[in-house]
């Protein structure tokens, strides 16, 4: 059969996640319009979505202050003004005096009484709708009528039979699926719209339950599959662990010990670990990664550590090198910008098992990288990687005789995910949390300053550096254009050089060659550079404890998570650190909220909670991070009881009615399951 390209409409459907008929069936309305009755003009209220029928008694095109079309419609009870700010000539013709029409739209308070702007106009006397008219979530260029028709077709042709056996459904006091679906797509006019909008109606309860059940079933399935997979069992090695710990200038915090115990236990299992290590910036995740790597290497397997940027990967290399060389471990380095010869030799060392620890960027997931015995994959700042990239690395397993052996996976993230949210999206992942900072850290003090006080701030930077400290100056974010971003960075650098002529100032930005970047970072680490002007390339992971001051220009342009990450670059040593957020008024409401949050707290979990509040889960996680499509209908916070029931049934259903469990997954999860395994 010839494959044809998807039509324009199909492309729009896909943008909404609508691929198969079951997808359309569960694409449910956001709200409804009532076209089932004619309202009397005298009884209309402001804000009401109304439909009236009557005679046009006046219509006119006015040219001042702007060209517009106005008309007045009258029924037996009163008159209503209609207004169009843009219109076609035939609309004007439609509105000739004496014509009978039906018009529909939202009632507003006009200059002289009530009015409807841009009403929809139909012939009077056409039969009224028998159900409320659904308004679906749509996308630009896709008309409601088209979507409505496609959904109506899907409802006609799809199997709406219940996936829950009757006894179970009745036991949970749930409505039949088909009834619930038909009801929500076409509710009868007498229904209380509030119940529908707040998803409190029994039909919504059923749908939300189904969605939660599907999610729980899919998670349980992914977990069961993982337990059937093979991994090298990497047992604890107390001697190597002790040797590594002896090199550390500090003792682990209790929270680090707890997280490490969980990881150590998982590594010793013969099925792959999928664990997320989350902890605020500066909580000390790196050393946990090193301990895990050491335990794996003690079991004769290779370990890959992947970081999202070169700066960060290099920093891991610098940090790990002394620790691991002392243990007699060979390290290989891989990055996109390294010379071919160097890269080839890394490939060879990886392939013949000469290198046990491999550190690098995304270059690690290149096809040419063939691990000899990959036992553990560690990804730092995992939220920066797409689902696909993580999958690619986790699939670099080995064929040993009959079976495939997959690596254990440890991901690290400094964007703490609120627990409730984690439950609603996380793929098959266990979570360890470091909820305590190393001792002796005093929280960074954050100051807000109007951009007019830039000169004062420069003075302040100067004082701090004269006292032997170092500082970061973060350039304004220019999201629209990379070229402009670069220009801004260079300008800022030159301006600061003029303002502070006797300081050593460095500049890092995304367009530098990686060798230059590395040299600059090294100079900053060693103290040769005192003030580092930087773009957001330093956002993640950079660790220079002597840097105690950060200035962020145009702080209002950054997101909350980004500001928190940036601020996390200071306050990493024992000395009191400061962060100055320069802002340019006027501030939008949301920018004010963000700066206020930064001023009020340094706790990553609290910041994440506020961020979530301000942006909502979809945007908070971004598509890159949401391993699993977020719940669309159910709400983990308010639907606790449904969730508990769904969790229980996700255990019972596959045992008692495996067919039903599969049918349920097919209806809700077609095509989404691969995401769960990443
Ligand atoms: P992050 O969790 O942000 O990756 P790092 O692992 O970079 O944090 O650690 C931040 C700093 O804290 C590093 O300089 C590290 O050496 C230090 N550190 C880690 N654990 C401890 C500890 N238990 N006591 C004191 N300092 C620690
Ligand atoms: Mg880190």
């Amino acid at each position: 059969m010839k494959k044809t390209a998807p039509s324009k409409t199909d492309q729009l459907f896909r943008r909404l996640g609508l691929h198969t008929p079951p997808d359309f069936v569960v694409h449910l309305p956001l709200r409804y319009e009532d076209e089932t009755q004619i309202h009397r003009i005298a009884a209309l209220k402001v804000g009401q979505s109304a439909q009236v029928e009557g005679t046009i008694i006046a219509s006119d095109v006015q040219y001042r202050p702007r060209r517009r079309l106005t008309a007045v419609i009258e029924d037996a009870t009163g008159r209503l003004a209609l207004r169009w700010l843009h219109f076609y000539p035939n609309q004007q013709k439609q509105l000739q005096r004496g014509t009978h029409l039906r018009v529909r739209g939202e009632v507003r308070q006009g200059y002289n009484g009530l009015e409807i702007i841009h009403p929809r106009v139909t012939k009077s006397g056409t039969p009224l709708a028998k159900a409320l008219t659904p308004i679906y979530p749509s996308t630009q260029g896709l008309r409601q009528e088209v979507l409505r028709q496609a959904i109506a077709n899907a409802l006609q042709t799809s199997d709406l039979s219940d996936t829950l056996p009757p006894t179970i459904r009745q036991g949970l006091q749930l409505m039949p699926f088909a009834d619930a679906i038909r009801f929500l797509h076409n509710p009868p006019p007498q229904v209380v719209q509030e119940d529908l909008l707040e998803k409190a109606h029994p039909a919504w309860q059923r749908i939300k339950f189904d969605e939660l059940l599907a999610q729980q079933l899919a998670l349980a399935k992914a977990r069961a599959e993982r337990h059937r997979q093979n991994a090298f069992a990497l047992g604890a090695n107390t001697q190597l662990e002790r040797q590594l710990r002896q090199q550390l200038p500090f003792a682990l915090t209790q929270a680090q010990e707890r997280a490490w115990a969980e990881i150590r236990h998982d590594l010793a299992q013969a099925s792959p670990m999928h664990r997320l290590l989350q902890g605020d910036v500066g909580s000390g995740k790196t050393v946990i990664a090193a301990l895990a790597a050491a335990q794996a290497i003690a079991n004769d397997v290779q370990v890959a550590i992947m970081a999202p940027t070169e700066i960060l990967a290099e920093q891991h290399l610098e940090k790990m090198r002394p620790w691991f060389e002392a243990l007699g471990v060979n390290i290989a380095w891989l990055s996109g910008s390294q010379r071919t010869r160097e890269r080839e030799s890394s490939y060879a060392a990886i392939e013949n098992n000469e290198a046990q620890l491999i550190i690098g960027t995304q270059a690690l997931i290149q096809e040419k990288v063939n691990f000899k015995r990959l036992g553990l994959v560690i990804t730092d700042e995992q939220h920066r990687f797409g689902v696909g990239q993580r999958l690619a690395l986790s699939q670099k397993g080995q064929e040993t005789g009959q079976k495939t052996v997959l690596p254990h996976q440890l991901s690290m993230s400094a964007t703490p995910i609120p627990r409730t949210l984690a439950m609603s999206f996380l793929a098959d992942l266990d979570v360890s949390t470091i909820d305590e900072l190393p001792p002796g850290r005093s929280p960074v003090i954050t100051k807000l300053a109007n951009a007019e006080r830039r000169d004062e701030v420069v003075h302040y930077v100067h004082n701090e550096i004269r006292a032997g400290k170092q500082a970061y100056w973060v350039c304004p974010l220019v999201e629209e254009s990379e070229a402009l971003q670069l220009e801004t960075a260079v300008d800022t650098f030159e301006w600061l050089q003029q303002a502070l002529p006797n300081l050593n100032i460095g500049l890092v930005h995304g367009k530098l060659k990686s060798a230059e970047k590395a040299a600059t970072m090294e100079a900053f680490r060693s103290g040769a550079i005192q003030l580092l002007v930087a773009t957001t390339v330093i956002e993640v992971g950079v660790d220079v404890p002597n840097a105690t001051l950060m200035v962020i220009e145009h702080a209002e342009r950054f997101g909350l998570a980004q500001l928190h990450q940036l601020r996390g670059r200071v306050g990493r040593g024992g000395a009191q650190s400061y962060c100055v957020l320069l802002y340019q008024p006027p501030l939008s409401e949301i920018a004010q909220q963000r700066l206020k949050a930064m001023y009020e707290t340094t706790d990553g979990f609290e910041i994440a909670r506020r961020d979530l509040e301000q942006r909502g889960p979809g945007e908070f996680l971004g598509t890159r991070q949401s391993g699993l499509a977020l719940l669309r209908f159910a709400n983990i916070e308010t639907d606790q009881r449904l969730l508990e029931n769904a969790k229980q049934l996700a255990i019972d259903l596959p045992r008692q009615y495996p067919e039903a469990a599969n049918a349920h997954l097919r209806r809700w999860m077609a095509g989404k399951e691969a995401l769960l395994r990443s």
Side-chain angles (χ1 to χ4, degrees):
M1 211 168 70
K2 220 176 86 184
K3 254 199 178 163
T4 49
S7 71
K8 185 89 199 314
T9 311
D10 281 339
Q11 285 176 25
L12 293 171
F13 285 154
R14 283 182 196 180
R15 205 181 293 162
L16 292 170
L18 303 174
H19 301 264
T20 63
D23 296 335
F24 286 85
V25 168
V26 296
H27 193 69
L28 292 168
L30 285 174
R31 58 185 180 83
Y32 304 88
E33 278 178 6
D34 187 354
E35 296 168 26
T36 63
Q37 49 183 317
I38 302 291
H39 297 98
R40 293 179 314 140
I41 289 178
L44 295 183
K45 291 191 199 73
V46 173
Q48 179 184 358
S49 164
Q51 176 159 261
V52 305
E53 214 169 88
T55 312
I56 297 296
I57 56 166
S59 92
D60 187 20
V61 176
Q62 294 174 345
Y63 291 90
R64 241 166 269 159
R66 237 184 294 133
R67 186 167 170 271
R68 63 182 177 197
L69 172 61
T70 59
V72 176
I73 190 167
E74 182 184 61
D75 71 3
T77 68
R79 291 175 178 184
L80 176 70
L82 308 174
R83 193 144 62 93
W84 286 262
L85 302 173
H86 36 86
F87 58 94
Y88 299 104
N90 66 338
Q91 276 177 301
Q92 193 182 341
K93 264 187 235 142
Q94 242 186 345
L95 294 170
Q96 272 170 19
R97 258 175 40 176
T99 328
H100 288 279
L101 286 178
R102 183 183 296 170
V103 300
R104 176 157 56 81
E106 193 185 323
V107 179
R108 302 175 20 131
Q109 187 63 55
Y111 297 114
N112 328 300
L114 300 183
E115 66 173 8
I116 296 181
I117 296 181
H118 288 187
R120 260 152 296 161
V121 178
T122 44
K123 272 189 273 177
S124 67
T126 34
L128 288 167
K130 292 204 176 54
L132 297 178
T133 307
I135 307 295
Y136 291 105
S138 189
T139 183
Q140 181 136 33
L142 184 60
R143 282 183 304 125
Q144 284 291 326
E145 288 78 4
V146 176
L147 197 48
R148 231 174 256 153
Q149 190 56 51
I151 290 170
N153 291 346
L155 286 173
Q156 287 282 325
T157 55
S158 300
D159 171 17
L160 301 183
S161 60
D162 223 293
T163 49
L164 298 184
T167 48
I168 290 183
R169 182 179 67 70
Q170 282 151 12
L172 291 166
Q173 296 182 316
L174 291 168
M175 208 170 159
F177 177 76
D179 294 356
I181 276 293
R182 291 212 181 89
F183 183 91
L184 291 175
H185 283 293
N186 298 298
Q190 65 278 14
V191 68
V192 184
Q193 279 228 33
E194 299 281 279
D195 284 355
L196 289 182
L197 296 183
E198 281 163 22
K199 301 198 171 60
H201 191 277
W204 269 123
Q205 296 291 312
R206 171 61 203 261
I207 297 304
K208 291 195 287 189
F209 178 80
D210 275 20
E211 182 181 48
L212 289 164
L213 177 62
Q215 184 208 26
Q216 294 300 317
L217 283 171
L219 279 176
K221 199 171 157 198
R223 191 171 294 261
E225 261 172 41
R226 170 153 67 97
H227 286 304
R228 278 198 299 275
Q229 289 169 341
N230 305 298
F232 297 111
L234 309 172
N237 183 308
T238 38
Q239 200 196 334
L240 208 64
E241 185 179 332
R242 185 150 23 84
Q243 280 177 11
L244 180 55
R245 281 180 187 252
Q246 271 164 4
Q247 296 186 53
L248 302 176
F250 48 74
L252 297 190
T253 61
Q254 274 188 11
Q256 282 171 314
E257 290 289 3
R258 218 178 314 120
W260 166 232
E262 289 166 351
I263 294 164
R264 180 171 43 197
H265 171 265
D266 280 6
L267 287 174
Q269 310 308 310
S271 60
M273 162 174 85
H274 278 194
R275 191 170 277 278
L276 172 68
L277 174 60
Q278 60 171 0
D280 207 350
V281 286
S283 62
K285 297 184 288 295
T286 316
V287 57
I288 305 298
L291 284 165
Q295 176 162 326
I297 291 167
N299 285 273
D300 278 336
V301 297
Q302 293 172 303
V303 175
I305 300 182
M306 180 163 83
T309 66
E310 286 221 25
I311 288 186
L312 192 51
E314 241 157 59
Q315 189 175 284
H316 281 310
L317 181 68
E318 294 311 315
K319 199 154 221 168
M320 304 269 178
R321 198 181 348 235
W323 291 343
F324 281 90
E325 282 180 354
L327 303 178
V329 171
N330 283 327
I331 303 180
W333 165 251
L334 264 187
S335 89
S337 65
Q338 105 199 101
R339 290 219 188 78
T340 318
R341 186 132 47 81
E342 214 182 319
R343 189 171 331 143
E344 299 288 331
S345 92
S346 285
Y347 286 158
I350 295 167
E351 202 160 338
N352 62 25
N353 209 11
E354 229 168 79
Q356 294 91 49
L357 181 59
I358 299 94
I359 301 178
T361 58
Q362 284 91 320
L364 281 175
I365 53 178
Q366 295 296 313
E367 257 172 57
K368 286 186 212 133
V369 185
N370 292 310
F371 294 92
K372 178 79 179 180
R373 254 172 92 77
L374 182 61
L376 169 63
V377 166
I378 300 173
T379 38
D380 197 9
E381 308 295 347
Q382 61 96 26
H383 60 285
R384 288 302 202 85
F385 292 104
V387 171
Q389 286 169 314
R390 273 184 281 146
L391 263 180
L393 193 51
S394 70
Q395 282 163 356
K396 284 198 174 279
Q398 269 73 45
E399 305 290 335
T400 60
Q402 307 294 312
K403 57 184 189 183
T404 306
V405 182
L406 294 169
H408 294 282
Q409 286 185 59
L410 175 63
S411 351
M412 302 194 282
S413 174
T415 303
I417 297 153
R419 198 185 68 84
T420 48
L421 183 59
M423 282 180 61
S424 74
F425 98 98
L426 278 184
D428 166 33
L429 208 57
D430 299 307
V431 180
S432 296
T433 304
I434 307 183
D435 53 5
E436 170 189 15
L437 291 181
R441 301 266 176 88
S442 35
V444 177
I445 295 175
T446 299
K447 299 180 178 188
L448 305 181
N450 190 316
E452 280 173 15
R453 294 170 57 197
R454 212 175 178 220
D455 289 334
E456 253 175 83
V457 173
V458 170
H459 191 66
Y460 183 55
V461 169
H462 196 194
N463 285 343
E464 193 74 2
I465 289 174
R466 271 204 306 219
K469 300 296 174 21
Q470 289 166 276
Y472 296 98
W473 190 287
V474 180
C475 303
L477 184 65
V478 190
E479 272 193 329
E480 308 84 83
S481 145
E482 271 187 48
L484 215 56
Q485 172 77 73
L486 182 60
E487 201 178 301
T488 313
V490 173
D491 280 354
T492 310
F493 173 63
E494 285 172 356
W495 175 78
L496 279 166
Q497 273 187 321
Q498 273 170 21
L500 297 165
N502 43 16
L503 292 191
N504 266 328
I505 306 182
L507 171 65
V508 279
H509 54 72
K511 287 272 161 285
L512 279 187
K513 291 225 178 68
S514 72
E516 294 172 292
K517 225 185 287 175
T520 309
M521 287 312 295
E522 189 41 47
F524 188 59
R525 207 178 346 256
S526 72
I529 288 177
Q530 297 158 300
L531 174 60
L532 184 65
V533 180
T535 58
T536 51
V537 296
I538 57 145
E539 180 188 339
V540 289
V542 171
D543 184 29
V544 180
N546 190 47
T548 56
L549 172 61
M550 169 169 287
V551 179
I552 303 178
E553 276 201 86
H554 278 288
E556 77 280 358
R557 293 186 190 167
F558 294 88
L560 198 44
Q562 210 171 14
L563 286 172
H564 180 64
Q565 281 281 337
L566 282 167
R567 182 172 61 183
R569 299 313 105 216
V570 293
R572 303 176 80 84
Q576 178 61 57
S577 293
Y578 301 89
C579 177
V580 180
L581 301 177
L582 281 173
Y583 63 86
Q584 183 73 60
L587 292 178
S588 69
E589 175 77 23
I590 187 134
Q592 265 180 45
Q593 294 279 332
R594 283 199 296 254
L595 297 183
K596 183 162 175 279
M598 288 298 292
Y599 177 74
E600 286 176 354
T601 180
T602 51
D603 174 353
F605 281 90
E606 174 61 18
I607 296 233
R609 201 186 57 71
R610 295 201 196 183
D611 202 15
L612 178 63
E613 213 170 76
Q614 286 174 19
R615 293 194 294 163
E619 237 191 290
F620 175 79
L621 292 166
T623 41
R624 312 186 69 192
Q625 204 185 348
S626 46
L628 165 61
L630 284 161
L631 295 171
R632 282 179 292 165
F633 309 123
N635 177 326
I636 293 285
E637 303 267 0
T638 52
D639 295 321
Q640 279 291 339
R641 197 181 52 81
L642 288 176
L643 177 63
E644 290 311 316
N645 289 339
K647 273 185 169 168
Q648 186 55 49
L649 191 56
I651 298 168
D652 299 340
L653 196 64
R655 286 194 196 134
Q656 297 167 5
Y657 304 93
E659 280 309 309
N662 285 334
H664 194 80
L665 276 173
R666 275 197 304 277
R667 173 170 286 158
W668 284 90
M669 286 280 167
K672 295 191 188 120
E673 283 178 302
L675 294 173
L676 282 160
R677 290 188 219 106
S678 67

